[in-house]
Amino acid sequence: MKILTISILSLMMTLSTQAQNIPVYLDESKPVEQRIDDALSRMTLDEKIAVIHAQSKFSSPGVKRLGFPDLWTDDGPHGVRPDVLWDEWEQAGQTNDSCVAFPALTCLAATWNPQLARLYGENLAEEALYRNKHVMLGPGVNIYRTPLGGRNFEYMGEDPWLASRMVVPYIQGLQSKGVAACVKHYALNNDEEYRHQVNVKISDRALHEIYLPAFKAAVQEGGAWSIMGAYNLYQGVHNCHNATMLNKILKKDWGFDGVVISDWGGCHNTDEAIKNGLDLEFGSWTNGLTAGASNAYDNYYLALPYKKLIQEGKYSTKELDEKVRRVLRLFYRTTMNRQKPHGFLCSESHYATALKIAQEGIVLLKNDRNLLPINLQTTKKILVVGENAIKMMTVGGGSSSLKVQKEILPLDGIKARFTDAQIDYVRGYVGDTVQSYNGVTVGRSLYETRSQAELTAEAVAKAKEADVVIFVGGLNKSDYQDCEGHDRKSYDLPYAQNEVIEAILKVNPRLVYVNISGNGATLPWIKKVPAVVQAWFIGSEAGEAIASVLAGDVNPSGKLPFTWYASLNQCGAHATGSYPGTWREDYKIIDEEYKEGIYVGYRYTDSKKLKPLFAFGHGLSYTTFKVGKATANKQVMTTDGQISFTVPVTNTGNRAGSETIQLYIAAKQSKVDRPVKELKAFQKVYLQPGETRNVTLTIGSEALSYYDETRHDWCAEPGKYEALIGTASDLLPTKHTFQLK
Ligand code: BGC
């Protein structure tokens, strides 16, 4: 017994000596903040400077001497981008980097299903882990301010509440697997054209009520580990080193403890970068070599120029230590996190998620005479028209461009589903000729020598014979057609699409228009086309998802995350002449004042009593729903309390389906100008035919608040409010009045 006790004691002493030998920064039993302090105290000036700027296109160094691995970032946000060369945008030509393309974030937002956002994040993280990426450059939550916005497809629509509810679970899902989100582009990055030069002037109220809430939710509720500064300027200073945006709002007011990463090439000034809150610089001189030095990275604003200023005594290491602290925190959350799972690429589960999100996000905009779903018994001949039926949409559009293992094209999906019908295809118009993007070829030749007249004639001749015509059109991620770096030049559909549709309608009115895009467009023939489906850029499973909705295997339940304007003058940014701003005399800066203020999307059309083509929150189903009368659990609420509204929802049709119940708040009296209504809660319910469920939506007083510019804070005024409840922003059949005391 004595011998046993002695050996246990000596074993414990050995273990404790070993534990004592582990430096604190490597000791996983110690609190992270203590480990950060320890690591920081061991780092040299050179090591500190090294970790706050890039060493290649997408990576920054760890601290080799101390055992911190390099940090790898990658785009984002719809799949894991293929590897590029060390210093170049060109592809590295790897064979292990073909990924699953998940639907673009507009489609995710259109599901109005936060659970799917969580799944999206988790699945994307698994793909990233397999590829050894630690930071995914996304999600993007810039607000859909104008339908010309080139990158709207990468974002979550026009409404701050919807975007907030969808971005939080995406981030939580991603980070639950040890992969950092890098929420972008913070903030006001609503112009792609001249994006480095646009200086946004905006009221504090519009900033806080419209453009910041999704970022704030990403930080405070999602717990985002990093955020990407935007290219544009705010109050005359670039957002990647803007003290108000970064030091004041993000870090001080919201308590962000993560890393501010510059957008690639978004950093312009060493002093501002040091003082104004940037932590990690990427992409300056974007080919990484143009500074003419053997190692351009040493010449980054936060590299040797910063070190020199410290050595000369202009700066102490106070700011540097703060940046390094944040970067180390990111290391512990990602590269140093030994608990993170192993990833896997292109798994069946990832394809299943991509398909599910695509199917739930597709929006049935119009369906007269129940043309959809296509009757499988009576439909013998289907004509598919349109270039977008055969064009890969995962390739192109800018940094979100992917190299996919598979992408089912709409035509192939339709052929695979409608096996009993004869499927014919004509292109109808000549649009995109891009054969490859960022080293990924689209596979199918879109080369065409025939004239437009010949193409139209061919479409018309074949349409005459068809039982139904499916026109797959829209935008296509070419320059100016939903693409980074350029906004659209026109709100109309490009190429000869409208002309071909009109010509087909003359011979066959049984036309289903499937629109591929991340934006609305004028649809001049809308009254004559019975069925319209918004099918977004939906990734790897596009064709299967579209076909499953057209065939009725899936009952559509997507809802528009933006107002589909009939014309541009229904949009506040255009109607007020604010967009795209005015060049200063020196042609260096464009001043763009957001004169529409808080009146973005439905807030503008409501205030001007305009009828858009399709309202925010609109989306049909193959079944019908009835929303009953709303009741509330109280008549008077207090500022620190909550109020709940309950409505019975019944599936009155004969198919199972989902409906999204939306609650909007209208302030009935206020010191300030208030929108007619604002979305403040929603819930999606799945109902069998004949089934009724009570849906309860709860809000707190923050849902009644506006941003008070004099107090620089949110304010919930006592008084009368109305809760409007229904299934779209223009279909709110039941309301309930209540008081805030
Ligand atoms: C884009 C970012 C992207 C980065 C890296 C920039 O041009 O604006 O969204 O993450 O490039 O590819």
Side-chain angles (χ1 to χ4, degrees):
M1 185 62 193
K2 205 172 166 190
I3 295 172
L4 187 66
T5 316
I6 291 171
S7 17
I8 289 176
L9 272 176
S10 70
L11 180 67
M12 282 170 65
M13 279 167 65
T14 321
L15 284 176
S16 107
T17 326
Q18 274 172 5
Q20 278 163 16
N21 288 340
I22 299 177
V24 172
Y25 78 94
L26 287 178
D27 186 346
E28 290 177 342
S29 69
K30 293 280 187 308
V32 166
E33 295 306 310
Q34 217 174 308
R35 297 172 73 190
I36 293 172
D37 284 342
D38 184 52
L40 192 68
S41 71
R42 295 166 190 263
M43 287 170 72
T44 64
L45 178 61
D46 283 331
E47 285 167 341
K48 288 179 183 175
I49 289 286
V51 298
I52 61 162
H53 68 276
Q55 62 171 3
S56 78
K57 202 84 190 131
F58 283 98
S59 76
S60 58
V63 192
K64 291 180 189 58
R65 187 176 60 85
L66 298 179
F68 288 97
D70 294 348
L71 183 80
W72 279 89
T73 72
D74 204 0
D75 288 298
H78 309 138
V80 188
R81 180 180 177 158
D83 285 338
V84 297
L85 294 172
W86 190 258
D87 284 318
E88 310 284 340
W89 287 112
E90 256 126 77
Q91 271 205 45
Q94 317 277 38
T95 50
N96 63 348
D97 57 357
S98 300
C99 66
V100 172
F102 297 93
L105 294 192
T106 24
C107 175
L108 177 64
T111 67
W112 292 56
N113 186 344
Q115 284 170 1
L116 289 184
R118 167 90 195 193
L119 202 59
Y120 195 126
E122 286 173 0
N123 282 221
L124 183 63
E126 286 160 359
E127 298 247 326
L129 286 166
Y130 178 87
R131 300 265 316 278
N132 280 320
K133 308 299 179 196
H134 309 113
V135 180
M136 284 307 293
L137 304 175
V141 284
N142 294 92
I143 290 293
Y144 184 109
R145 177 175 175 247
T146 151
L148 302 190
R151 292 186 87 173
N152 281 343
F153 74 93
E154 286 185 66
Y155 306 142
M156 296 187 174
E158 75 182 28
D159 185 78
W161 177 258
L162 176 63
S164 302
R165 289 314 95 211
M166 298 304 288
V167 75
V168 167
Y170 179 115
I171 295 167
Q172 289 169 337
L174 192 70
Q175 296 190 164
S176 70
K177 308 257 172 191
V179 176
C182 183
V183 186
K184 65 195 192 184
H185 305 90
Y186 181 72
L188 301 168
N189 196 172
N190 301 307
D191 293 68
E192 280 305 298
E193 220 63 58
Y194 305 109
R195 54 188 176 165
H196 295 270
Q197 283 135 298
V198 172
N199 175 37
V200 176
K201 298 182 170 181
I202 185 174
S203 70
D204 278 353
R205 195 168 159 207
L207 179 68
H208 287 274
E209 287 189 21
I210 305 293
Y211 296 96
L212 293 187
F215 288 104
K216 185 178 180 186
V219 168
Q220 293 193 325
E221 295 174 61
W225 293 339
S226 69
I227 201 164
M228 184 187 287
Y231 282 141
N232 55 290
L233 303 90
Y234 165 65
Q235 292 178 339
V237 184
H238 279 105
N239 272 334
C240 286
H241 29 74
N242 185 307
T244 310
M245 280 291 177
L246 303 177
N247 286 342
K248 162 90 177 60
I249 298 174
L250 177 68
K251 293 184 174 176
K252 181 166 168 286
D253 296 349
W254 298 350
F256 176 66
D257 70 356
V259 173
V260 174
I261 299 180
S262 72
D263 197 346
W264 271 229
C267 182
H268 303 273
N269 181 298
T270 294
D271 284 301
E272 288 182 7
I274 294 170
K275 290 187 292 190
N276 295 353
L278 178 65
D279 301 310
L280 185 46
E281 179 187 358
F282 265 95
S284 303
W285 307 298
T286 50
N287 74 3
L289 298 167
T290 38
S294 59
N295 179 6
Y297 301 100
D298 283 345
N299 295 316
Y300 270 36
Y301 295 97
L302 286 183
L304 294 183
Y306 187 10
K307 182 180 165 191
K308 191 159 165 272
L309 293 174
I310 291 177
Q311 285 168 334
E312 287 168 3
K314 178 164 181 195
Y315 293 100
S316 70
T317 57
K318 178 171 158 269
E319 294 89 354
L320 178 62
D321 287 348
E322 169 61 14
K323 296 179 200 299
V324 175
R325 220 175 261 287
R326 287 171 181 272
V327 171
L328 287 169
R329 197 173 291 126
L330 184 61
F331 288 170
Y332 284 117
R333 287 168 164 167
T334 58
T335 55
M336 297 294 279
N337 171 3
R338 292 198 302 147
Q339 307 310 319
K340 63 179 184 292
H342 294 291
F344 42 92
L345 198 64
C346 296
S347 74
E348 283 167 13
S349 60
H350 295 174
Y351 283 115
T353 297
L355 179 62
K356 173 112 184 82
I357 295 169
Q359 289 170 328
E360 269 207 36
I362 289 175
V363 185
L364 180 63
L365 291 173
K366 185 177 175 189
N367 193 20
D368 285 357
R369 305 186 297 279
N370 293 333
L371 182 56
L372 291 176
I374 290 171
N375 188 318
L376 297 170
Q377 268 76 51
T378 56
T379 309
K380 298 289 170 231
K381 271 184 155 188
I382 298 176
L383 175 66
V384 179
V385 187
E387 191 179 86
N388 285 357
I390 57 163
K391 182 176 183 317
M392 279 182 82
M393 290 296 177
T394 54
V395 180
S399 55
S400 64
S401 185
L402 298 170
K403 177 170 132 192
V404 288
Q405 187 197 46
K406 118 178 155 185
E407 176 176 351
I408 303 177
L409 299 169
L411 179 61
D412 296 334
I414 291 168
K415 279 185 180 163
R417 179 60 188 91
F418 296 92
T419 41
D420 290 341
Q422 178 194 323
I423 314 283
D424 221 345
Y425 172 75
V426 296
R427 186 169 169 185
Y429 59 90
V430 183
D432 179 66
T433 47
V434 174
Q435 294 297 295
S436 73
Y437 189 90
N438 194 211
V440 184
T441 48
V442 291
R444 210 180 273 229
S445 172
L446 296 174
Y447 187 66
E448 180 61 67
T449 51
R450 288 171 294 170
S451 71
Q452 183 55 51
E454 287 171 290
L455 292 172
T456 307
E458 181 193 35
V460 168
K462 297 227 162 139
K464 268 187 203 155
E465 309 297 319
D467 295 323
V468 64
V469 179
I470 304 171
F471 190 105
V472 187
L475 308 177
N476 60 17
K477 291 195 175 174
S478 293
D479 284 355
Y480 306 101
Q481 305 299 345
D482 279 1
C483 180
E484 183 178 338
H486 291 294
D487 293 318
R488 293 163 71 195
K489 289 179 175 167
S490 154
Y491 188 41
D492 296 333
L493 288 174
Y495 321 123
Q497 296 186 75
N498 288 334
E499 184 186 320
V500 180
I501 291 171
E502 295 280 6
I504 291 172
L505 282 168
K506 288 197 183 119
V507 298
N508 193 340
R510 290 174 58 79
L511 178 71
V512 178
Y513 175 67
V514 178
N515 191 67
I516 309 289
S517 74
N519 270 310
T522 56
L523 306 176
W525 30 257
I526 187 69
K527 291 211 170 78
K528 294 177 269 179
V529 171
V532 179
V533 173
Q534 174 59 22
W536 314 110
F537 298 113
I538 44 176
S540 284
E541 298 285 9
E544 185 172 345
I546 291 169
S548 67
V549 167
L550 297 179
D553 309 330
V554 166
N555 188 355
S557 64
K559 297 277 182 179
L560 279 181
F562 54 73
T563 305
W564 192 303
Y565 306 108
S567 64
L568 274 189
N569 52 22
Q570 291 192 335
C571 167
H574 294 270
T576 56
S578 309
Y579 174 90
T582 318
W583 282 105
R584 286 186 192 167
E585 269 177 16
D586 60 5
Y587 278 94
K588 287 195 177 138
I589 298 288
I590 295 176
D591 286 309
E592 186 166 345
E593 187 181 349
Y594 286 17
K595 293 192 195 121
E596 75 281 11
I598 56 170
Y599 294 99
V600 175
Y602 64 88
R603 289 165 169 83
Y604 186 78
T605 48
D606 277 356
S607 74
K608 299 287 175 195
K609 299 195 169 50
L610 300 169
K611 195 172 158 16
L613 219 45
F614 302 108
F616 171 80
H618 167 80
L620 305 171
S621 165
Y622 294 149
T623 185
T624 46
F625 297 94
K626 185 169 175 293
V627 175
K629 192 159 172 31
T631 52
N633 67 345
K634 55 181 79 150
Q635 287 312 313
V636 180
M637 73 179 280
T638 50
T639 322
D640 55 357
Q642 289 189 322
I643 184 166
S644 295
F645 304 91
T646 301
V647 280
V649 187
T650 308
N651 180 345
T652 49
N654 50 18
R655 270 171 196 267
S658 295
E659 182 53 290
T660 300
I661 304 304
Q662 307 167 30
L663 179 149
Y664 296 78
I665 290 292
K668 299 318 274 179
Q669 63 215 45
S670 178
K671 281 204 295 268
V672 297
D673 210 25
R674 301 288 292 259
V676 173
K677 61 176 187 285
E678 299 183 87
L679 180 74
K680 293 297 171 184
F682 62 87
Q683 197 184 313
K684 196 163 187 171
V685 268
Y686 180 76
L687 296 171
Q688 294 296 334
E691 187 184 353
T692 299
R693 275 219 215 161
N694 283 332
V695 173
T696 298
L697 299 163
T698 301
I699 55 164
S701 66
E702 65 288 344
L704 316 179
S705 309
Y706 70 91
Y707 188 83
D708 184 342
E709 295 191 323
T710 49
R711 288 174 48 245
H712 306 291
D713 203 358
W714 290 86
C715 168
E717 292 170 292
K720 202 161 119 187
Y721 293 86
E722 212 166 57
L724 306 145
I725 303 174
T727 55
S729 67
D730 63 346
L731 199 61
L732 301 166
T734 177
K735 55 184 174 195
H736 198 98
T737 308
F738 63 100
Q739 297 276 337
L740 177 71
K741 220 169 75 178

